[in-house]
């Protein structure tokens, strides 16, 4: 792929064209309004299956169509989320048609392939939710085995199962029986009285505030040293631990470099991203520009204020732009940036 110069936000010349869009899911594409029932009669809104924890999310058809427009412009779409793999797979029909789906804070990477369902996970065929202009061609997923082997150096192999959506009895090994740096640390936290959420995770684990004995107990996590080889970040008020080689930024570096045929160090200079939370910060600052439909952490709010030329918050005051409207506003800005980028190539 030939990469030619464009202009960055400051107006200076850059050798980095926009080729990739990286996007988070929860709080960015999928929203969880308190008044979710008020959307029931909206024909432009799709209700996703409830999450493992019972949350009901919504996404707008406009969001899906705007991603379709970006793909028609030749841009690669990378979806990257902290959600467990089984949840990601169950939601794929309701998400934008992407070129890569990455779960568990970037710990696992799957590519769509239009062929017979013979690959992991479980040989499942996926079809996009029907809407005007949707791509209804069924596809299956191939996991990136090189990336998985890289993760296995820190997480081991015992947390993976063949069919994530319908694991058979005996396929899932409890984290208490997994042996690796990651799971040893999970057991250490358990001995200190913390409640571990490992269900459906193979390359990370989560601690939820509401599952701990008190807010003070949850906040005391900040005093627990993280072992070498692991990273930690906040995600919608929860705490995730995962390999230092993982994380959304590293994952998107790897996938974008694979798509563009460039080095990982240079890849995200060709990317825009959509995000909302603490675990998106590294990715946001590595990309050419980040668009934030909702600010769900103090760290994201502070970083956006300090970096107005790198991060644009698209939710507006007074509730003018919130939820799906703020996402569609962000995608309008992304499309304008991509079109401007294309014009400046001539």
């Amino acid at each position: 792929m030939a990469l030619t110069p464009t202009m960055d936000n400051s107006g200076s010349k850059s050798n980095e064209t926009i080729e990739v869009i990286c996007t988070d899911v929860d709080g960015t594409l999928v929203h969880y309004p308190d008044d979710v029932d008020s959307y029931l009669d909206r024909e432009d809104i799709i209700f996703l299956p409830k999450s493992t924890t019972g949350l009901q999310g919504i996404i707008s058809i406009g969001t899906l169509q705007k991603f379709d427009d970006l793909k028609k412009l030749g841009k690669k779409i990378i979806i990257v989320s902290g959600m467990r793999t089984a949840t990601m797979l169950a939601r794929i029909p309701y998400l934008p048609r992407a070129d890569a789906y990455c779960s568990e804070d970037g710990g696992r990477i799957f590519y769509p392939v239009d062929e017979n369902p013979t690959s992991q996970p479980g040989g499942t065929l996926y079809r996009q939710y029907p809407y005007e202009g949707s791509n209804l061609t069924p596809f299956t997923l191939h996991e990136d085995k090189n990336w998985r082997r890289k993760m296995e150096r820190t997480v081991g192999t015992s947390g993976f199962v063949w069919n994530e959506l319908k694991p058979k009895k005996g396929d899932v090994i409890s984290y208490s029986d997994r042996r690796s740096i990651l799971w040893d640390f999970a057991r250490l936290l358990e001995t200190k009285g913390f409640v571990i959420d490992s269900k459906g995770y193979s390359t990370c684990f989560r601690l939820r505030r509401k599952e701990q004995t008190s807010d003070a107990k949850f906040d005391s996590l900040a005093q627990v040293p993280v072992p070498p080889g692991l990273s930690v970040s906040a995600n919608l008020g929860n705490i995730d631990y995962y390999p230092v080689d993982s994380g959304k930024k590293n994952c998107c570096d790897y996938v974008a470099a694979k798509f563009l045929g460039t080095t990982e160090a240079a890849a995200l200079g060709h990317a825009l991203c959509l995000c909302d939370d603490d675990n998106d910060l590294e990715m946001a600052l590595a990309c050419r520009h980040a668009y934030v439909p909702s600010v769900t952490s103090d760290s994201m709010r502070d970083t956006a204020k300090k970096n107005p030329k790198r991060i644009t918050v698209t939710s507006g005051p007074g509730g003018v732009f919130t939820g799906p409207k703020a996402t569609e506003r962000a995608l309008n800005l992304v499309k304008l940036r991509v079109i401007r980028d294309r014009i400046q190539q001539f």
Side-chain angles (χ1 to χ4, degrees):
M1 177 179 294
L3 304 178
T4 54
T6 186
M7 306 288 284
D8 64 20
N9 255 6
S10 63
S12 59
K13 199 83 169 182
S14 169
N15 290 322
E16 300 165 334
T17 58
I18 302 303
E19 304 293 346
V20 176
I21 313 299
C22 305
T23 181
D24 172 50
V25 178
D26 289 333
T28 301
L29 306 183
V30 175
H31 298 275
Y32 300 88
D34 293 334
D35 59 342
V36 67
D37 287 346
S38 67
Y39 290 84
L40 287 172
D41 296 328
R42 292 267 301 270
E43 294 183 356
D44 62 326
I45 295 295
I46 298 171
F47 282 73
L48 279 70
K50 288 187 177 180
S51 70
T52 304
T53 55
L55 291 175
Q56 177 68 73
I58 60 172
I59 190 170
S60 72
I61 291 175
T63 294
L64 300 176
Q65 291 172 329
K66 291 177 190 300
F67 272 103
D68 291 341
D69 290 343
L70 290 168
K71 285 186 68 66
K72 290 174 184 176
L73 289 170
K75 306 311 165 187
K76 296 289 188 180
I77 309 299
I78 302 173
I79 292 178
V80 57
S81 171
M83 72 180 74
R84 61 193 92 223
T85 297
T87 301
M88 168 75 83
L89 299 179
R91 289 183 175 185
I92 280 178
Y94 308 92
L95 298 178
R97 186 72 176 260
D99 298 283
Y101 300 89
C102 315
S103 58
E104 302 187 28
D105 288 302
R108 300 187 70 178
I109 301 170
F110 301 94
Y111 305 108
V113 181
D114 296 336
E115 62 174 38
N116 292 327
T118 58
S119 62
Q120 279 193 333
T124 302
L125 271 177
Y126 297 89
R127 290 179 175 85
Q128 194 165 34
Y129 185 94
Y131 59 87
E132 185 177 350
S134 62
N135 182 352
L136 299 178
T137 304
F139 62 95
T140 186
L141 296 175
H142 283 182
E143 184 166 9
D144 190 310
K145 296 299 178 61
N146 289 331
W147 184 257
R148 175 162 160 172
R149 281 191 288 269
K150 187 176 184 179
M151 296 300 104
E152 286 174 353
R153 294 200 293 264
T154 304
V155 307
T157 61
S158 55
F160 298 91
V161 299
W162 166 247
N163 189 334
E164 307 283 349
L165 289 174
K166 298 178 181 178
K168 296 179 181 179
K169 186 177 181 180
D171 281 355
V172 181
I173 298 176
S174 169
Y175 80 88
S176 60
D177 294 321
R178 302 176 190 177
R179 296 292 178 264
S180 69
I181 297 171
L182 180 73
W183 304 113
D184 290 347
F185 183 57
R187 286 188 293 275
L188 173 65
L189 291 177
E190 187 178 48
T191 66
K192 294 179 178 294
F194 293 101
V195 178
I196 308 298
D197 180 3
S198 64
K199 183 179 180 181
Y201 294 109
S202 51
T203 62
C204 74
F205 66 86
R206 175 167 292 179
L207 279 80
R208 301 179 180 278
R209 179 180 291 274
K210 65 182 181 181
E211 293 178 351
Q212 310 309 315
T213 54
S214 67
D215 284 346
K217 181 66 177 178
F218 182 82
D219 293 338
S220 71
L221 273 170
Q223 308 305 317
V224 182
V226 180
L230 299 183
S231 287
V232 59
S233 63
N235 182 18
L236 296 178
N238 305 309
I239 300 294
D240 292 345
Y241 294 92
Y242 44 85
V244 70
D245 289 332
S246 181
K248 295 185 178 182
K249 186 257 183 190
N250 291 340
C251 173
C252 288
D253 271 337
Y254 172 86
V255 176
K258 189 169 185 174
F259 287 156
L260 301 180
T262 185
T263 65
E264 290 184 29
L268 292 189
H270 299 279
L272 302 176
C273 85
L274 291 88
C275 57
D276 71 301
D277 208 345
D278 178 79
N279 67 341
D280 301 315
L281 285 174
E282 283 190 295
M283 174 179 68
L285 293 173
C287 291
R288 284 283 298 283
H289 200 85
Y291 300 87
V292 182
S294 62
V295 178
T296 57
S297 69
D298 291 338
S299 57
M300 177 59 79
R301 181 176 294 104
D302 294 342
T303 303
K305 287 181 179 178
K306 293 175 182 176
N307 297 273
K309 291 186 177 181
R310 302 290 303 279
I311 300 175
T312 299
V313 177
T314 61
S315 54
V320 177
F321 293 100
T322 60
K325 286 185 179 180
T327 300
E328 291 180 22
R329 187 186 189 195
L331 286 165
N332 287 338
L333 293 174
V334 168
K335 185 176 180 180
L336 285 173
R337 181 72 178 263
V338 167
I339 292 173
R340 186 184 74 181
D341 178 81
R342 173 173 287 189
I343 292 171
Q344 290 174 342
Q345 292 178 33
F346 296 97

